Amino acid sequence: MGTILKNLREEKGITQEELAEAVGVSKPFISQLENNRKGMSLATAALIADALGCTTDKLAGRNEKE
């Protein structure tokens, strides 16, 4: 999920710091997520998806058709 998160964030054109601020977490936490060193709760995934303008399914790497 980390690579997907990083790709979505970069596609949106925002920094780790900007995403962290929008979600209410630290920049190091976002970095740890992107590097698959930490997992996230469903609530955090929903906040990140909202900040990135996508669904939690997309964040999880699920295709729309699945």
Side-chain angles (χ1 to χ4, degrees), residues 3 9 15 19 23-24 29 33 38 41 47 50 52 55:
T3 302
R9 178 183 58 75
T15 65
L19 179 58
V23 175
F29 181 72
L33 291 175
K38 287 245 183 202
S41 68
L47 291 171
D50 286 347
L52 295 174
T55 64

Side-chain angles (χ1 to χ4, degrees), residues 15-63:
T15 65
Q16 287 181 343
E17 188 171 341
E18 290 168 330
L19 179 58
E21 189 173 310
V23 175
V25 298
S26 69
K27 180 192 171 288
F29 181 72
I30 297 296
S31 177
Q32 290 171 333
L33 291 175
E34 289 185 358
N35 289 295
N36 294 310
R37 286 190 232 129
K38 287 245 183 202
M40 69 181 101
S41 68
L42 182 56
T44 300
L47 291 171
I48 289 173
D50 286 347
L52 295 174
C54 68
T55 64
T56 53
D57 279 347
K58 186 169 185 175
L59 187 59
R62 292 180 153 188
N63 292 330

